[in-house]
Amino acid sequence: MSDDDESPVESSRTDRRNKPPAMLWVVLFVDQGLLTALLEFWDEAAPVRFGLLAFVFLLVHALPWFVFPKWRPWLPGPLVYAFCYSPALLPGLFFKLIAEKFSTSLIAQMVFVAITAAVGTFFYYQVLSTSQRQDHESTTSSKSD
């Protein structure tokens, strides 16, 4: 039996290890939600509340890097984070404008935060799954050579 032959059991174990943990998606959603809340409540928040919100955002953003070292391969860099977050602002703004017509301003702001965080996390998931597929394809093609 050569090194190139993998049993299905070993293959599924390596695939499971290469998938990001589910808790990472929760942390990314909270992280993007806090950033959107900072953006949305920039003018309205009192300095103490804004400072507290900024501190919690930085804590949530930096905590996985130091506390969960196994997550480091999946944590977004600043360019990937901005690439996924920036286009997510458009659907959030669209739904905020719709929500302002039918509800209060606070509910519209909460809709903006939730939609932007969800779409940004979804974009990051798409970027990550595409890069994992490309890594897997390059690995399998190098093994076949």
Side-chain angles (χ1 to χ4, degrees):
M1 185 176 240
S2 68
D3 291 335
D4 293 336
D5 297 334
E6 286 188 33
S7 70
V9 174
E10 289 175 9
S11 176
S12 68
R13 284 184 191 153
T14 56
D15 289 343
R16 208 174 304 126
R17 273 184 289 184
N18 289 335
K19 290 184 180 177
M23 188 65 181
L24 175 68
W25 303 118
V26 173
V27 170
L28 283 172
F29 178 80
V30 170
D31 187 34
Q32 292 196 357
L34 286 170
L35 180 62
T36 308
L38 282 171
L39 176 70
E40 184 63 25
F41 298 113
W42 181 268
D43 293 332
E44 299 171 9
V48 173
R49 280 184 269 159
F50 186 78
L52 182 63
L53 196 59
F55 174 74
V56 171
F57 166 72
L58 290 174
L59 184 69
V60 169
H61 196 70
L63 194 66
W65 184 262
F66 298 109
V67 176
F68 302 108
K70 292 181 181 179
W71 290 11
R72 288 181 185 165
W74 295 292
L75 291 174
L79 290 176
V80 173
Y81 192 84
F83 177 76
C84 295
Y85 180 74
S86 298
L89 291 170
L90 292 175
L93 184 60
F94 176 74
F95 283 105
K96 177 186 174 187
L97 293 174
I98 291 173
E100 282 178 345
K101 299 286 185 196
F102 300 108
S103 64
T104 65
S105 177
L106 180 63
I107 292 176
Q109 290 171 331
M110 292 166 62
V111 165
F112 175 68
V113 169
I115 296 292
T116 303
V119 172
T121 304
F122 174 75
F123 284 162
Y124 182 68
Y125 176 78
Q126 293 300 318
V127 167
L128 185 65
S129 64
T130 302
S131 67
Q132 281 182 341
R133 251 183 283 140
Q134 289 173 347
D135 289 344
H136 181 69
E137 289 172 358
S138 67
T139 304
T140 56
S141 66
S142 67
K143 282 184 178 181
S144 64
D145 291 342

